[in-house]
Amino acid sequence: MSDTSLTAMNTLGVPSKARRVHLIEKIDDLKRLAARFRANGPVVLGGGSNVVLAETIEQPVCLIRNRGIGVTRNGSAVEVTVAAGENWHNLVRWSLANGLAGLENLALIPGCVGAAPVQNIGAYGVELEGLFQRLLALDVQAGELLVLNRDDCKFAYRSSVFKLHPGRFIIAEVTLILQPGGTEVNTTYPDVAVELERLGVVRPDPVRVAEAVIRVRRRKLPDPRWVPNVGSFFKNPILSQERFDSMKIEHRALNGYSDPAGIKVAAAELIDLCGCKELRSGGLQVWPRQPLVLINPEHQSGAEVLAFAERIRVAVLQRFGVRLEIEPDIVGL
Ligand code: NAP
């Protein structure tokens, strides 16, 4: 069997090929392949918007392409069960078009629905876990389909059981709870509040909040369709109060946000303060409007992207003693 190119299937645009690819178009495909996956755990690829791939992937690659949205009433709320292969932003648009509130702050996040629980996607004060009901996944080790509820998923800041046990589960569908006719919105983040003001919106509803979020994101972030990238390349570090206080002595303008685990700081600010905001090397660049994002317009390899990221990590480590963690999954490198 010939290799399959994954170059157009990863938004970072790194040249990559897989030895063997399995297409998942329905849940029965997962059942059929369970024994094979149990013997040889696959790499799971949805939208390919949060991965750095090696040039050759030797493991089988499982492409999640199932579709469909089902709706059930649950008291005054609505349960929406969505196939893992649906595009996330299309789901947000569908929910708003159907008068369902809850997902508006999560507009324009790239990737597919199955990837959303993996890192407990969140934006502008709303996290997936707050809307999450349950999901259906193949337990690769056990070779069977399981239902995981919110506790089973162990959600935390950009983390979950799926991050803690990579390769253990393949998510098949996700059920969320949304509010029909909901009007309560979260506009606590300054970027959203300022954008609503610019739009002249006095009483924001979910549709207007989504509009504001989309405008902010479009302005700040490169569109992966034209500029290869995987969104945030680094996680925002959470520091102890002491470390944050000592950094503030030298950098008085540094922002910190209180978090159950300490003080969260924006990795983008640290990268900027290290002078790496306009860093370029061999076709790779930091995106100056949001230095958390690395762009790869010349389709450098995954290894070259990681070497470039390491230069930034070293600069931040030397300057602040903070080791930035890489956010996308690194596959085969
Ligand atoms: P930003 O608005 O520049 O904020 C940078 C950092 O400051 C983020 O860590 C954010 O926390 C924090 N922050 C800002 N205002 C805050 C407030 N009022 N209360 C608490 N924390 C605050 O962030 P950005 O990089 O442009 O991203 C915009 C949003 O998209 C952020 O919410 C970010 O987390 C989210 N995002 C999510 C993913 C993902 O799910 N993988 C990837 C990229 C960006 P939070 O991170 O807690 O919001």
Side-chain angles (χ1 to χ4, degrees):
M1 189 180 278
S2 61
D3 294 342
T4 302
S5 172
L6 302 177
T7 306
M9 295 186 206
N10 76 96
T11 65
L12 192 56
V14 303
S16 180
K17 59 181 189 292
R19 298 277 187 228
R20 190 175 189 87
V21 161
H22 299 285
L23 211 56
I24 305 300
E25 293 181 304
K26 45 192 187 324
I27 288 172
D28 277 351
D29 294 334
L30 276 180
K31 288 187 193 156
R32 182 172 48 79
L33 290 161
R36 191 180 291 195
F37 288 167
R38 195 173 172 193
N40 193 6
V43 168
V44 179
L45 212 54
S49 59
N50 204 38
V51 284
V52 182
L53 300 176
E55 281 182 79
T56 305
I57 308 292
E58 299 292 348
Q59 281 166 272
V61 172
C62 174
L63 296 175
I64 307 295
R65 297 289 183 264
N66 58 333
R67 292 284 147 84
I69 302 179
V71 175
T72 331
R73 213 77 211 183
N74 182 342
S76 61
V78 159
E79 273 191 14
V80 179
T81 297
V82 193
E86 288 285 346
N87 173 274
W88 176 265
H89 183 61
N90 285 347
L91 170 67
V92 176
R93 288 201 310 203
W94 172 91
S95 67
L96 294 169
N98 284 280
L100 298 172
L103 298 179
E104 52 279 357
N105 293 43
L106 305 176
L108 218 62
I109 294 182
C112 62
V113 169
V118 175
Q119 55 172 337
N120 184 20
I121 57 167
Y124 307 108
V126 173
E127 285 187 313
L128 179 92
E129 71 172 295
L131 306 152
F132 181 87
Q133 181 76 349
R134 62 180 176 276
L135 60 75
L136 181 70
L138 177 73
D139 180 336
V140 174
Q141 274 172 21
E144 58 190 40
L145 285 164
L146 290 184
V147 174
L148 279 79
N149 64 27
R150 194 182 308 182
D151 286 346
D152 298 326
C153 291
K154 298 189 173 40
F155 289 122
Y157 183 63
R158 306 292 175 268
S159 180
S160 69
V161 71
F162 311 105
K163 281 266 175 191
L164 301 175
H165 301 285
R168 168 86 192 267
F169 299 99
I170 302 176
I171 297 171
E173 63 182 30
V174 179
T175 301
L176 304 173
I177 291 261
L178 302 179
Q179 299 303 324
T183 48
E184 251 181 64
V185 286
N186 181 331
T187 58
T188 48
Y189 272 46
D191 275 1
V192 177
V194 167
E195 196 62 33
L196 286 165
E197 220 175 286
R198 276 196 198 141
L199 289 166
V201 177
V202 183
R203 267 183 229 91
D205 62 13
V207 171
R208 297 314 300 273
V209 169
E211 187 185 343
V213 167
I214 289 168
R215 287 169 67 101
V216 171
R217 291 186 68 106
R218 286 224 166 104
R219 212 167 32 238
K220 207 165 165 182
L221 299 168
D223 186 331
R225 285 174 302 175
W226 325 119
V227 185
N229 78 89
V230 281
S232 306
F233 205 90
F234 303 103
K235 291 184 189 173
N236 291 319
I238 298 175
L239 310 177
S240 68
Q241 183 73 54
E242 294 74 35
R243 167 155 300 282
F244 178 69
D245 289 345
S246 73
M247 282 162 70
K248 279 288 267 189
I249 296 169
E250 199 188 337
H251 305 287
R252 296 182 67 187
L254 188 67
N255 290 301
Y257 303 94
S258 87
D259 178 276
I263 304 291
K264 183 176 58 191
V265 297
E269 275 190 69
L270 303 183
I271 294 168
D272 190 2
L273 287 167
C274 286
C276 289
K277 189 164 135 179
E278 311 221 334
L279 193 67
R280 290 165 175 244
S281 174
L284 286 152
Q285 293 174 39
V286 174
W287 184 251
R289 272 180 270 162
Q290 171 45 295
L292 209 49
V293 176
L294 309 185
I295 63 165
N296 185 23
E298 292 176 27
H299 299 274
Q300 308 288 76
S301 69
E304 286 164 319
V305 173
L306 291 184
F308 183 65
E310 192 55 24
R311 283 180 60 187
I312 298 164
R313 294 174 88 198
V314 167
V316 171
L317 184 65
Q318 285 176 346
R319 183 73 186 269
F320 299 108
V322 173
R323 187 118 186 101
L324 291 182
E325 266 183 69
I326 289 179
E327 186 175 294
D329 293 332
I330 297 166
V331 179
L333 283 160

